[in-house]
Amino acid sequence: MKAVILEGPNMFSTKDIPMPVIKADELLVKMEKAAICGTDIRILEGKKTKDVRYPSVIGHEICGVISEVGSEVKGFAVGERVAIANVIPCGSCSSCLNGRENACLNRQAIGYQFDGGFEEYLAIPGIAIQAGNVVKMPDHVSSTAGALIEPLACCIRGMVNAGTGFNDTVLVVGAGPIGLMHLQLSKIAGASKVIISEPNQMRRDKAKTLGADVIVDPTSENLNEIVMRETDGLGVDVIIVAIGVPSILNSTINLAKKGGTVCLFAGFAGDGMSQMSANTIHYNELNICGSTAYKRSDYLAAAEMVKTGKIDLDEIATHVYKLDDFKAAYEKFLDGSGLKIMIEA
């Protein structure tokens, strides 16, 4: 079968390798679609190394069809379509026992400790099956939407942390795939107004298609003035920072109303260091929160939204490449002219 083999930083290529031979407690899944994530790019370039193996197959946003069922596996059948929640919490560490399995201290993950989705067939380990990480998909859900349940689950965790609710005004900074998911989730949660800040015209157009109320080009318009005009001078209730640029954070927190929340959703470039005014946070009683990964409950909620058509993920995918053309897909991701880049066998 074909697989993208990562052999070291900036050393990856599509090769022919033997198909996995599954154990009795495993599933063999034929990949239908796998999406490239910004984290994948950091892994490919050697900028993220924690839990990364060489050689290995990465890719953690996955949808496929079961092609073989281990003899000890119950409840699954050949031919069923499934989406995979890649993060497998241990269930017994301090984080897990205190309701934060998304921040599990001993978590394992498909695409890290276990080979991921950038291959024709992947073995789903027994611990993932037993943990409920394999979710069946009905035929009406596209393989693209199925693969994008994983980042949607991450966005749900961020929205829960931020506490976005009915009648809130929300500013989403960045209209890449993640920002566009946050846009839709904010509307679903009952936000009265969602403002998008995005310098890229194509992405602003996509935000308009997906229901943004106010769209700002921060390179040619004054974001501060527009936010204050749209909120009667108060600022927004919630800010979702969906772009990892540390230098924008200080100006961004000034756009939150007193008592508002700023969710630092994106992973930030370099060492992530940023200067922010402690007095702004102090006197305006701002809540600053982070967000990492997702809980299995977030993944199941995301899957249900996709199954019932409550959110449009297909609109966020712009390009599809074959495994053989993975390097072209990587380059397309880097040039920024697309949104979600999908891989198929």
Side-chain angles (χ1 to χ4, degrees):
M1 69 171 189
K2 294 185 183 300
V4 178
I5 306 298
L6 175 64
E7 298 180 283
N10 296 301
M11 297 172 58
F12 57 92
S13 60
T14 304
K15 295 185 175 181
D16 289 314
I17 65 170
M19 284 180 57
V21 177
I22 63 169
K23 300 174 184 176
D25 65 344
E26 296 182 335
L27 294 170
L28 186 66
V29 171
K30 186 182 191 312
M31 183 267 283
E32 290 185 326
K33 291 277 176 60
I36 298 179
C37 169
T39 301
D40 295 322
I41 300 298
R42 291 168 59 211
I43 292 171
L44 292 171
E45 296 178 347
K47 296 173 183 175
K48 176 179 173 62
T49 57
K50 187 176 186 299
D51 297 326
V52 175
R53 297 172 295 120
Y54 303 118
S56 69
V57 178
I58 66 168
H60 58 271
E61 301 176 4
I62 311 160
C63 182
V65 59
I66 296 172
S67 63
E68 186 180 347
V69 179
S71 60
E72 296 177 2
V73 176
K74 307 299 180 185
F76 293 95
V78 171
E80 289 182 322
R81 300 177 67 239
V82 292
I84 311 297
N86 77 303
V87 177
I88 310 160
C90 73
S92 59
C93 71
S94 174
S95 292
C96 286
L97 293 176
N98 285 281
R100 293 184 182 274
E101 68 172 45
N102 56 306
C104 172
L105 301 176
N106 307 307
R107 75 181 189 183
Q108 299 184 78
I110 296 167
Y112 292 84
Q113 288 85 356
F114 305 98
D115 280 350
F118 298 146
E119 56 185 345
E120 285 188 80
Y121 292 87
L122 65 152
I124 306 301
I127 58 170
I129 300 166
Q130 294 156 18
N133 287 45
V134 182
V135 179
K136 296 180 183 180
M137 287 290 109
D139 287 341
H140 71 266
V141 173
S142 72
S143 54
T144 291
L148 296 184
I149 290 171
E150 195 275 348
L152 178 63
C154 295
C155 291
I156 288 175
R157 175 54 23 204
M159 191 186 75
V160 170
N161 289 352
T164 305
F166 181 74
N167 208 38
D168 279 348
T169 53
V170 177
L171 168 64
V172 179
V173 182
I178 292 298
L180 294 172
M181 290 183 191
H182 275 294
L183 158 61
Q184 295 184 77
L185 287 172
S186 298
K187 301 289 281 189
I188 292 166
S192 60
K193 184 178 292 183
V194 180
I195 303 168
I196 292 287
S197 175
E198 170 57 55
N200 181 287
Q201 180 67 55
M202 179 272 291
R203 296 182 176 199
R204 291 199 303 273
D205 291 343
K206 191 68 74 172
K208 182 177 181 180
T209 298
L210 292 173
D213 298 290
V214 180
I215 302 169
V216 181
D217 177 358
T219 64
S220 63
E221 299 176 280
N222 189 312
L223 179 61
N224 189 302
E225 288 182 1
I226 293 171
V227 167
M228 292 305 163
R229 183 184 71 217
E230 294 291 334
T231 60
D232 296 325
L234 297 176
V236 296
D237 296 284
V238 176
I239 299 174
I240 303 291
V241 182
I243 181 170
V245 181
S247 61
I248 69 170
L249 291 181
N250 194 54
S251 60
T252 298
I253 65 173
N254 290 316
L255 304 177
K257 73 189 302 184
K258 289 182 182 293
T261 296
V262 181
C263 178
L264 308 184
F265 184 86
F268 288 84
D271 60 9
M273 293 297 292
S274 176
Q275 288 188 326
M276 286 189 287
S277 168
N279 279 336
T280 299
I281 297 169
H282 171 74
Y283 288 109
N284 290 351
E285 292 192 343
L286 298 183
N287 303 296
I288 310 293
C289 72
S291 185
T292 183
Y294 55 87
K295 299 180 182 181
R296 285 167 293 177
S297 58
D298 300 323
Y299 192 93
L300 294 175
E304 198 61 27
M305 292 180 72
V306 169
K307 291 178 186 178
T308 56
K310 298 296 189 297
I311 193 163
D312 188 349
L313 299 183
D314 290 287
E315 189 70 30
I316 294 172
T318 54
H319 297 80
V320 181
Y321 290 85
K322 297 287 188 181
L323 280 168
D324 275 333
D325 300 320
F326 186 83
K327 285 201 171 179
Y330 165 77
E331 290 165 2
K332 175 56 67 176
F333 186 102
L334 293 183
D335 75 23
S337 62
L339 287 166
K340 261 300 178 182
I341 311 299
M342 309 300 297
I343 303 298
E344 63 183 11

